[in-house]
């Protein structure tokens, strides 16, 4: 159900160059179309010929004019094709809204249930550091916005609790404490991207668990929703976007498709999901079977 949100994202530059190619093709068509009928009219011209030399001169003039008129569209076409072949601006990114929308002043509490990863998994820290090196090599300061520090900031957001009041906050804390769930293993064994859906033109690059581990995460999200419903708390923003570990934020000009090609299939590491934190100050929600060996 979470795979239906994949769309092909085409940048403005790609659209412009496709448009140039279309115009060039149209120019070729119109040129040859009118050139053909011009040639037919020339054959049927009622004007009396002044000899073979005159005919030859007219042919040379027509060919020269035709060859000259083809120079500019040919150059444009070759430039467009070369640019398309070298930029890889066509990427596949997720387009589901993961963040909370704007809230009213009376329901401003929007905490996130977070799975911290930096302190728990040195392997993930090392892999994320190596991936950051690759991401940096493909961009620069104008195309890369920021990185999540591998040593301190790596995490996976489990659930977005959006736009709740103070009373609901107390109910949520109590419901999560009573929630029954068991730990599970996940592997961050892929690389993906998703787009910010709030008009900022930011693309997020992240380590991505494959489908079997996505299912485990969505199972935990379903338990959270059930616990809130039992406590009488309305879920204002269901979890829809894929679970991930954000590595970097980049601008539309960044070659996202090339980063996907370089890093897709990377085994970043594994983690046992046995607890997550919620609210400010952070409150730990621990699985029934704990985090022991």
């Amino acid at each position: 159900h979470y795979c239906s949100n994949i769309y092909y994202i085409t940048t403005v530059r790609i659209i412009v160059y496709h448009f140039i190619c279309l115009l060039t093709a149209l120019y070729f068509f119109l040129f040859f179309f009118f050139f053909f009928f011009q040639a037919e009219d020339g054959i049927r011209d009622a004007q009396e010929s002044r000899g073979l030399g005159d005919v030859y001169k007219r042919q040379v003039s027509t060919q020269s004019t035709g060859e000259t008129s083809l120079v500019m569209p040919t150059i444009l076409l070759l430039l467009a094709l070369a640019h398309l072949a070298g930029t890889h601006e066509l990427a596949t990114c997720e387009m589901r809204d993961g963040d909370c929308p704007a809230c009213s002043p009376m329901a401003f509490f929007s905490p996130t249930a977070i799975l911290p990863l930096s302190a728990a998994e040195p392997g993930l820290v090392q892999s994320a550091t190596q991936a950051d090196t690759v991401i940096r090599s493909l961009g620069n300061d104008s195309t890369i916005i920021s990185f999540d520090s591998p040593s301190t900031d790596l995490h996976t957001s489990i659930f977005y609790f959006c736009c709740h009041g103070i009373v609901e906050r107390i109910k949520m804390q109590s419901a999560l404490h009573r929630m029954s769930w068991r730990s599970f293993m996940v592997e961050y064994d892929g690389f993906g991207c998703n787009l910010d859906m709030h008009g900022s033109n930011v693309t997020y690059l992240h380590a991505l668990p494959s489908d079997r581990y996505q299912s485990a995460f969505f199972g935990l999200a379903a338990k959270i929703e059930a616990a809130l419903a039992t406590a009488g708390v309305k879920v204002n923003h269901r979890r829809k976007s894929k679970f991930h570990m954000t590595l970097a934020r980049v601008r539309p000009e960044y070659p996202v498709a090339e980063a996907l090609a370089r890093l897709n299939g990377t085994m970043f590491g594994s983690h046992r999901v046995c607890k997550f934190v919620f609210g400010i100050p952070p409150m730990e929600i621990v699985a029934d079977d704990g985090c022991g060996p």
Side-chain angles (χ1 to χ4, degrees):
H1 62 287
Y2 52 83
C3 292
S4 61
N5 54 355
I6 299 299
Y7 296 88
Y8 284 98
I9 310 306
T10 307
T11 62
V12 173
R13 184 163 52 180
I14 290 296
I15 296 174
V16 169
Y17 276 87
H18 273 104
F19 184 65
I20 291 175
C21 290
L22 180 62
L23 287 180
T24 306
L26 180 61
Y27 185 92
F28 274 112
F29 172 77
L30 292 176
F31 173 79
F32 285 112
F33 180 81
F34 287 110
F35 179 79
F36 174 79
F37 283 105
Q38 261 191 328
E40 289 293 318
D41 289 342
I43 292 172
R44 295 177 175 86
D45 197 345
Q47 183 179 356
E48 185 177 338
S49 173
R50 291 191 293 271
L52 289 176
D54 182 60
V55 173
Y56 174 75
K57 280 190 277 185
R58 280 191 291 163
Q59 287 178 341
V60 171
S61 176
T62 302
Q63 290 176 355
S64 175
T65 303
E67 290 171 357
T68 303
S69 64
L70 287 175
V71 171
M72 185 54 66
T74 302
I75 292 175
L76 289 175
L77 178 62
L78 292 176
L79 286 175
L81 293 176
H83 186 85
L84 288 174
T87 53
H88 308 290
E89 290 290 339
L90 193 63
T92 304
C93 292
E94 189 179 28
M95 291 184 66
R96 282 199 183 273
D97 188 4
D99 297 328
C100 290
C103 302
S104 70
M106 298 302 295
F108 59 88
F109 185 61
S110 296
T112 303
I114 293 176
L115 174 65
L117 293 170
S118 290
E121 297 295 347
L124 286 176
V125 173
Q126 181 179 357
S127 298
T129 302
Q130 294 171 351
D132 285 356
T133 301
V134 175
I135 294 170
R136 282 192 179 92
S137 71
L138 299 175
N140 51 50
D141 291 342
S142 65
T143 59
I144 299 175
I145 299 172
S146 64
F147 289 89
D148 280 10
S149 171
S151 60
T152 58
D153 298 334
L154 296 181
H155 68 278
T156 292
S157 297
I158 302 294
F159 203 89
Y160 300 95
F161 302 86
C162 298
C163 305
H164 295 281
I166 296 176
V167 175
E168 287 182 316
R169 174 181 177 177
I170 297 172
K171 290 182 178 180
M172 288 159 56
Q173 291 174 333
S174 176
L176 292 176
H177 263 305
R178 296 196 308 267
M179 184 179 73
S180 178
W181 64 289
R182 296 188 65 81
S183 65
F184 54 91
M185 290 296 300
V186 295
E187 291 183 355
Y188 293 83
D189 52 359
F191 183 79
C193 58
N194 70 319
L195 303 183
D196 184 271
M197 301 300 292
H198 298 277
S200 68
N201 292 324
V202 175
T203 300
Y204 295 84
L205 306 179
H206 43 242
L208 193 68
S210 55
D211 289 353
R212 59 177 294 196
Y213 303 110
Q214 292 288 340
S215 297
F217 271 126
F218 274 101
L220 177 56
K223 287 182 178 294
I224 292 175
E225 288 188 12
L228 295 181
T230 301
V233 177
K234 181 183 177 182
V235 176
N236 296 325
H237 193 72
R238 298 189 65 187
R239 178 74 197 216
K240 298 176 182 178
S241 59
K242 285 187 176 183
F243 293 84
H244 55 266
M245 180 180 74
T246 298
L247 300 173
R249 297 158 187 81
V250 298
R251 302 188 192 281
E253 297 80 13
Y254 184 87
V256 173
E258 190 168 350
L260 290 173
R262 292 277 297 274
L263 292 171
N264 192 29
T266 299
M267 178 57 184
F268 288 89
S270 59
H271 178 72
R272 181 185 172 199
V273 182
C274 61
K275 64 180 178 180
F276 59 88
V277 296
F278 163 80
I280 300 175
M283 178 181 68
E284 284 194 347
I285 309 299
V286 183
D288 296 345
D289 52 342
C291 292

